[in-house]
Amino acid sequence: MAHFEKYHPLLSAHYQLDWLTLYRLKDIYRLRQDVDQAALSGRTVDHSIEATAHYVNEAMRFVMADNSLLYGIGDRQSKAFLGSICLWRFDSAMTEAQLRFEVLPETPAAVMAEILPRVAGFAFFELGLSTLYVLLPATATAEIAQLEATHFAQSPTDHTRALPDGSKVPLVRLTLTRTTVAEKPEFQF
């Protein structure tokens, strides 16, 4: 099994993925208190900076225990925090994992267009996974379109997620396989 603590930073042409502990807590808190991002991820909103500090500490424990990889996304030039991306819920054979990402409202879509292939390529060609999946509310049309543009294929699930207004929406599962992107240069790691 890979020791996840050695996998940082990951670099793309314009962005750096590194441990959340290297970013300002107040920036992470701003992301963690975003109601829309919480709904997309199916998590609760952080109502205090202390809750965010606890989250960052727990996230690093999971990394050190080789249970997940969670990165802050930063601009390589300005060093600005833009969001986070996570590989977690690995199956027992270490062939499949769930991908989850969150971005600040002002983060341009171009950031994830560059980051998603980089993280997927890392998962497939460095960690040896064969499948990544993302679970999103069916109403997350921009995120779904972005994942589909990155070669994820959509399929329905039997699960729902509550939105901030209390309504429940069906979840969709978007899946990407190593064989789908094996010959695509933007996924090479």
Side-chain angles (χ1 to χ4, degrees), residues 2 27 29 39 45 47-48 67 76 101 104-105 109 118 120 152 157 159:
D27 294 334
Y29 174 55
V45 173
H47 293 291
S48 70
N67 291 323
R76 286 178 70 179
F101 60 93
L104 291 169
R118 187 70 177 147
F152 280 79
T157 68
H159 303 286

Side-chain angles (χ1 to χ4, degrees), residues 35-113:
V35 174
D36 294 328
Q37 291 300 306
L40 288 175
S41 291
R43 64 167 175 82
T44 59
V45 173
D46 285 359
H47 293 291
S48 70
I49 202 159
E50 292 81 14
T52 299
H54 177 75
Y55 165 75
V56 170
N57 288 334
E58 285 299 305
M60 291 310 299
R61 273 198 213 54
F62 282 128
V63 170
M64 296 306 166
D66 300 324
N67 291 323
S68 71
L69 277 163
L70 176 64
Y71 297 107
I73 303 167
D75 184 285
R76 286 178 70 179
Q77 193 168 56
S78 72
K79 307 298 184 208
F81 176 76
L82 303 168
S84 67
I85 192 160
C86 178
L87 293 169
W88 68 322
R89 296 189 175 167
F90 293 88
D91 67 350
S92 60
M94 286 295 290
T95 60
E96 180 177 273
Q98 184 177 353
L99 175 74
R100 184 169 79 179
F101 60 93
E102 298 182 12
V103 294
L104 291 169
E106 67 273 13
T107 301
V111 172
M112 292 313 295

